[in-house]
Amino acid sequence: MNDAPRSVRIAVGLWLAIAVFVLFTTAGLWFQRGEIERLSGRPPADVTNFLVALTVVAVIFAALYGLLTRLLVKRKNWARVALSVVSIVHMIWLLLVGVSTANLVVLLLICVAIVFTWQARTAQWLAEVREQ
């Protein structure tokens, strides 16, 4: 990773930041469970089921980001494509769940991470492995 260009280091940092932010945001929802029950008017069991589903999805996305970022650092070119596909699915998921400040932050981070992941210097760095 020390030989990686700045664009790669920024992309890696952004992907990992997204994973951590998603996990912390989801954990924060558990602390606001009572408020969610009050605002939604749903029974506690429904809110719990909703939070469990959100948590499972968040852990899956965070794990995928972590794994694929690690593979990107190992110069696996296909990891770039996989990160992009996972992030697009994640963006669709966020839009389906609903608009919130946290979701908008994640959407913005994903967009910036994709830009750095697909910069020419990143592609060149990944191609150097194939040339050796």
Side-chain angles (χ1 to χ4, degrees), residues 38-96:
R38 187 183 66 75
L39 290 173
S40 68
R42 301 277 189 183
D46 288 351
V47 173
T48 299
N49 290 338
F50 175 72
L51 290 175
V52 167
L54 282 179
T55 303
V56 168
V57 171
V59 168
I60 290 170
F61 278 121
L64 285 171
Y65 286 136
L67 174 67
L68 293 171
T69 300
R70 181 178 176 164
L71 293 170
L72 180 67
V73 169
K74 291 184 175 187
R75 292 185 167 192
K76 305 294 184 193
N77 191 44
W78 62 267
R80 261 187 341 160
V81 176
L83 275 167
S84 299
V85 170
V86 167
S87 66
I88 289 168
V89 171
H90 191 185
M91 288 192 288
I92 293 168
W93 165 258
L94 291 173
L95 294 173
L96 291 175

Side-chain angles (χ1 to χ4, degrees), residues 4-46:
R6 186 171 186 247
S7 62
V8 174
R9 292 192 310 267
I10 291 171
V12 166
L14 287 167
W15 289 120
L16 295 177
I18 292 165
V20 170
F21 187 76
V22 166
L23 292 175
F24 279 124
T25 302
T26 305
L29 289 174
W30 282 95
F31 290 106
Q32 298 174 346
R33 186 171 170 222
E35 185 69 13
I36 294 170
E37 288 174 10
R38 187 183 66 75
L39 290 173
S40 68
R42 301 277 189 183
D46 288 351

